[in-house]
């Protein structure tokens, strides 16, 4: 087994070899080197054809039309375009948005920015298991609410929100719904039509595609337009300027095509590993599962360990590539705000570990992780002044 | 976060960690910090014939705090009780290469050691060995 | 010779094989797959190290410090961040900007957006040869001017602006200067320190790097901060959120490293081809050079041909991948606004051809182009009702 | 922009392009459009014994305009002068596959042909063969 073992698929996945092959080909072939906006010549049209094929592949995974897909530099930009772009475009209709405390920073910071510009934001707090009740969404709607932005699968806990119920409420009240599906696309089935989703953010690198490319689905009937955040040469229907990166979107298209094929097998694979990990780790006295026990996506397991400090815990896990709630290991300087919103005290939020699994994960790696974590916690507790019952 | 090899060594094999068994002399105890602050340390000292003949610690904290407890315990064993109070934990910054941002955390070691001295000065000999919740 | 012949290096360049190799390697190696913001584990730090090495390479090409480089999704985003981000950040100081009518759309549309938000924009008009006089910049400054945004090399005509003189004026008046160097980086020497440039936009795909990645240089002393346009996880010093695409920025770094090495040879190569093309084409009666005859970068030649209509001209040139001023061949629906700003009538702006050259361009290709264009124009003129003296 | 193969054929080898040489009958001329509008066409017709015995054209315009001139000239050769005025250039849309957006441009051919007829009706026989600047 190669050390450190990679358990951080929710942060980013290795690019699928087929996708790498296609991207390398695309980068290597001079006849595909043209700017896909250079429709005046054959080389430009060849690049453009690749872009459009990718758009169709991305659309297919979520049952959208190709012209409802706007390529962006990632889900962060897609989230910004959905939230800020919708808010600006519909400001005459109202200046109130509903979101939650456990969204990704891309949504949270977009909303906070809007708040500085005069919008009102209702921040929904999840229950202790990380779920937002659809009734809470309904209760938060006001006559001038223009957008509800809630994620599908939470990137820290893996809980799956009841988007269908929330969407039905939004339709009933004629409010637009934006869903951040960066963690769920390719892992959970998504149908924007059946699911009545108006805007949906996607990222390629969470599902074996390249980093630096994503997309925003914009329902043509219900949304039609949002205000662009960047200005330039009119690419992507004027909503997202800048030369479209042919190899990047082609890679995303291929990754999404593969994801559609592999989804059921892959979901089974990661769910089995997650269950194996949890049944190993739960022997540990004082270990807590973060997030709802059933309503969760298969690729994430998030636990908190009482009586050990986060940074030392994390330091003890050097042979595992995992994410931690510990402040010093991430770009932001706070303990996981997601776990805090679930009501975990700061210390428990910091002593959390997020394991996330993917195609290359194996049962042997999970066995190793169980033993390794048990040993590390035992060491830390051997000199801890805090009494953990059963330890 | 980068840790020096000295920190790594203490973290992997901390010296004098744990609690002191009952024995001759006087056992005193002091703590500093709290879980809420992100670091809690407990020191115990056995004082006999005017010397700190044994010292042990427990810590909930980052690797720098743990290494600092380990190194401080090692350094102070054999000192006079008064030296527990005058010990300057910032002197551990150099050997452990503690970054400036974190050096404040070392002060909780000072708090714990001073409380040991205060307990000694108060003639407090009940040493609450049981762990906290 | 492979047909069509690619003469559109100013729109995009093929990725250098060494850059492709490095990118493919980066995409293929699972140990580099992590999110470079995952500083808590070894895999994340390995990715981060690649990103920082690339940052240093990009900085080196323009004599900046690595921490003055913010990676973006391209020069379009860099231009937006420079113009809009500076305007917002400094709005208390003033709400007036100076730019020109011949900037790239990324700057023009950013300024037009600001104009809708209450900023005043002074639009400088170039002379008939495409140049902006430094004195005109000085005359346009007002007490509340916060930014001058002018490009280095124009992407349509190839004219090189006198940035040094303009920068001196900006410093004298304590106004920030942003320079769009998408066309010049790697082709003309740039030294942001000696040149007194405060913000500078860069693109990778114009200089044999990948599409979809660029950078903004922000002088640490003079500018320090701009307001971000996108909000999220705090990457790139909080100025540009979103997972940094390791393979993309590594590719940009390598492309910039190579560009620094090859600049003098390459400039000689393209300049020779351009001169060869012009001496062949100028035999044609009624052909006009667009842009200044001397103050120009070597890789672009832009001509207008009188008496033939743009779309038919362009259609006749199917074996050449060139850019045209003709409306129907680009995303925008107007004849080249750059040539219009130089005073060319619409018809002449439409009957323009931009040839641009690069590493793979050859003298044989240029010979072919000369003959091919002469033949096409002769055909069009054979049934044109318009008399061209000498034809 | 895509062009049909019919447009491509006419563009590569336009029929009856150019000007008519002096000869028997009456030579009339009419033009439509302008360079500023993006298309300028000139038609010449030689009318003899109540028939358009020869027709020629010149065009500054996009490939659709050029192909339409070529096809119209071919179709109309042999028609009566009156038919120059009643010719409906939109009928060329189908055979040439002219996109809707561009069909308006075909109307300048109508203008030119009607001016030929008007010149004939006016008895205008001076045919200004010289090109315009
Ligand atoms: C739920 C969620 N939304 C958005 C993002 C941002 O995606 P990207 O890295 O493509 O900007 C992520 C990942 O970082 C995520 O997990
Ligand atoms: C002068 C100039 N600025 C900006 C850009 C935009 O660059 P990018 O394609 O990286 O967004 C271009 C190229 O399109 C350009 O030529």
């Amino acid at each position: 087994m190669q050390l450190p073992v990679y358990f951080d698929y929710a942060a980013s996945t290795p690019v699928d070899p087929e996708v790498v092959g296609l991207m390398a080909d695309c980068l290597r072939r001079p006849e595909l080197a043209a700017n896909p906006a250079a429709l005046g010549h054959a080389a430009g049209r060849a690049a453009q054809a690749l872009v459009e094929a990718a758009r169709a592949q991305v659309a297919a995974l979520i049952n959208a039309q190709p012209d409802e897909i706007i390529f962006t530099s990632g889900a962060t930009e897609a989230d910004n375009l959905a939230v800020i772009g919708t808010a600006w475009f519909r400001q005459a209709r109202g200046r109130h948005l509903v979101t939650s405390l456990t969204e990704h920073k891309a949504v949270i910071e977009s909303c906070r920015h809007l708040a500085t510009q005069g919008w009102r934001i209702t921040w929904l707090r999840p229950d202790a298991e990380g779920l937002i009740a659809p009734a809470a969404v309904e209760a938060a709607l006001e006559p001038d609410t223009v957008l509800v932005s809630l994620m599908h699968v939470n990137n820290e806990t893996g809980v799956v929100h009841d988007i269908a119920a929330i969407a039905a409420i939004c339709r009933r009240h004629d409010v637009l719904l934006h869903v951040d599906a960066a963690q769920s696309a390719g892992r959970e089935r998504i149908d924007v039509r059946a699911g009545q989703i108006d805007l949906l953010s996607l990222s390629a690198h969470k599902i074996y595609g390249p980093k630096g490319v994503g997309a925003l689905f914009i329902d043509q009937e219900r949304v039609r337009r949002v205000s662009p955040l960047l200005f330039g040469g009119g690419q992507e229907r004027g909503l997202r300027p800048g030369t479209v990166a042919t190899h990047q979107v082609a890679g995303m298209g291929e990754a999404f095509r593969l994801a559609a094929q592999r989804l059921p097998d892959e979901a089974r694979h990661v769910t089995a590993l997650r269950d194996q990990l949890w049944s190993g780790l739960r022997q540990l006295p004082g270990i807590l599962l973060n997030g709802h026990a059933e309503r969760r996506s298969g690729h994430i397991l998030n636990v908190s360990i009482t009586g050990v400090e986060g940074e030392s815990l994390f330091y003890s896990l050097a042979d595992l590539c995992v994410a931690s709630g510990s402040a010093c290991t991430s770009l932001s300087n706070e303990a996981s705000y997601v776990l805090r919103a679930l009501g975990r005290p700061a210390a428990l939020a910091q002593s959390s570990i997020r394991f996330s699994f993917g195609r290359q994960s194996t049962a042997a790696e999970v066995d190793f992780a169980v033993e390794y974590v048990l040993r590390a916690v035992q060491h830390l507790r051997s000199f801890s002044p805090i009494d953990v019952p059963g330890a | 976060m980068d840790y020096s090899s000295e920190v790594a060594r203490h973290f992997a094999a901390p010296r004098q960690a744990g609690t002191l068994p009952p024995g001759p002399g006087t056992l005193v105890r002091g703590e500093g910090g709290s879980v809420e602050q992100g670091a809690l340390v407990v020191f115990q000292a056995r004082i006999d014939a005017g010397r700190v003949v044994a010292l042990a610690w427990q810590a909930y904290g980052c690797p720098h705090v743990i290494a600092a407890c380990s190194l401080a315990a090692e350094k102070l064993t054999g000192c006079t009780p008064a030296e527990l109070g005058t010990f300057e934990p910032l002197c551990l910054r150099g050997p452990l290469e503690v970054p400036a941002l974190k050096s404040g955390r070392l002060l909780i070691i000072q708090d714990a050691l001073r409380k040991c001295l205060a307990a000694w000065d108060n003639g407090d000999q009940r040493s609450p060995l049981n762990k906290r919740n």
Side-chain angles (χ1 to χ4, degrees), chain A, chain B:
Chain A
M1 193 183 318
Q2 186 81 19
L3 293 184
V5 182
Y6 193 75
F7 284 118
D8 206 10
Y9 286 82
S12 200
T13 56
V15 184
D16 186 281
E18 292 191 38
V19 174
V20 178
L22 186 134
M23 288 176 69
D25 202 45
C26 187
L27 287 167
R28 228 168 245 135
R29 285 168 58 190
E31 70 274 23
L32 298 178
N35 192 318
L39 299 179
H41 54 65
R45 286 189 297 268
Q48 163 80 355
L50 279 187
V51 169
E52 294 312 317
R55 200 185 303 281
Q57 289 171 324
V58 170
L61 186 73
I62 59 170
N63 192 28
Q65 296 299 314
D67 64 356
E68 293 176 312
I69 300 296
I70 300 294
F71 285 115
T72 66
S73 63
T76 294
E77 190 184 347
D79 282 345
N80 274 260
L81 186 56
V83 173
I84 302 178
T86 301
W88 277 96
F89 190 72
R90 301 196 166 229
Q91 60 178 317
R93 292 245 223 143
R95 292 185 142 225
H96 179 247
L97 280 74
V98 175
T99 187
S100 92
L101 290 169
T102 53
E103 296 305 301
H104 189 267
K105 284 278 181 188
V107 167
I108 290 192
E109 296 299 327
S110 290
C111 287
R112 285 172 62 169
H113 168 70
L114 286 172
T116 69
Q117 306 294 309
W119 272 264
R120 288 167 10 262
I121 313 291
T122 297
W123 299 96
L124 299 175
R125 180 178 293 280
D127 63 21
E129 297 182 301
L131 292 172
I132 304 283
V137 176
E138 186 150 30
L141 298 179
E142 301 190 10
D144 65 338
T145 307
V146 292
L147 183 72
V148 171
S149 179
L150 288 171
M151 71 206 318
H152 188 193
V153 169
N154 184 275
N155 50 304
E156 293 204 21
T157 61
V159 301
V160 183
H161 288 105
D162 189 353
I163 295 297
I166 292 167
I169 289 166
C170 289
R171 284 281 154 117
R172 192 153 3 100
H173 292 267
D174 198 25
V175 169
L176 294 183
L177 173 64
H178 166 243
V179 174
D180 179 343
Q183 286 295 334
S184 59
R187 294 189 171 118
E188 305 284 330
R189 293 224 171 274
I190 298 174
D191 182 329
V192 290
R193 290 277 109 74
Q196 303 189 306
I197 294 167
D198 301 311
L199 300 119
L200 185 107
S201 299
L202 298 165
S203 184
H205 75 101
K206 306 287 186 183
I207 194 73
Y208 311 98
K211 296 175 183 62
V213 58
L216 179 65
F217 156 77
I218 300 181
D219 184 290
Q220 276 315 351
E221 292 273 295
R222 300 235 326 148
V223 188
R224 283 190 312 280
R225 280 179 63 189
V226 297
S227 295
L229 306 183
L230 299 174
F231 305 90
Q235 291 93 341
E236 298 297 294
R237 296 200 280 121
L239 296 181
R240 207 291 177 173
T243 301
V244 175
T246 318
H247 66 291
Q248 292 278 93
V249 306
M252 178 169 185
E254 178 69 1
F256 273 47
R257 187 184 71 76
L258 294 172
Q261 278 179 7
R262 300 179 183 171
L263 194 153
D265 284 349
E266 205 149 306
R268 257 193 305 276
H269 174 64
V270 294
T271 304
L273 295 176
R274 185 203 60 194
D275 292 347
Q276 177 192 344
L277 181 64
W278 179 229
S279 70
L281 288 183
R282 66 190 309 172
Q283 311 161 34
L284 202 59
I287 195 167
L288 303 167
L289 179 67
N290 290 316
H292 195 279
E294 274 98 44
R295 296 194 52 91
R296 49 171 50 256
S297 191
H299 70 299
I300 292 176
L301 183 77
N302 191 317
V303 296
S304 282
I305 301 177
T306 48
V308 297
E309 189 272 343
E311 188 179 331
S312 280
L313 173 62
F314 200 62
Y315 175 60
S316 318
L317 302 180
D319 284 346
L320 306 181
C321 293
V322 291
S324 90
S326 171
C328 61
T329 59
S330 68
L331 289 175
S332 75
N333 256 337
E334 35 178 342
S336 164
Y337 65 90
V338 170
L339 300 185
R340 299 286 280 130
L342 269 60
R344 294 279 186 230
L348 276 181
Q350 292 221 340
S351 307
S352 68
I353 317 172
R354 177 189 70 182
F355 296 87
S356 51
F357 313 92
R359 270 180 213 165
Q360 285 84 3
S361 303
T362 66
E365 288 175 347
V366 170
D367 282 339
F368 170 80
V370 170
E371 256 205 60
Y372 189 75
V373 172
L374 295 185
R375 203 154 8 96
V377 172
Q378 203 166 9
H379 177 62
L380 291 169
R381 284 182 175 160
S382 72
F383 48 77
S384 168
I386 296 165
D387 193 31
V388 176
Chain B
M1 185 59 60
D2 280 339
Y3 305 96
S4 66
S5 53
E6 195 60 19
V7 168
R9 236 186 330 271
H10 281 281
F11 185 89
R15 301 174 204 162
Q16 302 173 223
T19 53
L20 294 177
T26 304
L27 211 52
V28 292
R29 181 183 184 282
E31 64 179 63
S34 68
V35 170
E36 292 68 34
Q37 285 170 53
L40 167 70
V41 308
V42 178
F43 272 84
Q44 282 188 317
R46 181 186 309 288
I47 300 171
D48 199 16
R51 287 280 153 186
V52 174
V53 295
L55 205 56
W57 57 273
Q58 292 178 305
Y60 167 98
C62 72
H64 288 115
V65 166
I66 289 162
C69 289
S70 173
L71 187 55
E74 201 172 40
K75 276 182 184 290
L76 288 169
T77 303
C79 74
T80 63
E83 282 171 318
L84 292 177
T86 56
F87 177 71
E88 182 46 81
L90 291 183
C91 76
L92 304 175
R93 274 193 66 188
L96 297 175
E97 297 170 45
V98 180
L101 207 72
K102 275 193 156 188
S103 54
R105 295 211 189 158
L106 302 185
L107 299 181
I108 65 171
I109 293 177
Q110 193 169 50
D111 290 349
L113 292 171
R114 287 188 179 170
K115 283 198 191 135
C116 288
L117 177 62
W120 167 254
D121 288 342
N122 292 342
D124 182 355
Q125 302 191 20
R126 288 162 298 120
S127 43
L129 294 181
N130 51 323
K131 291 187 169 196
R132 286 200 344 160
N133 256 314

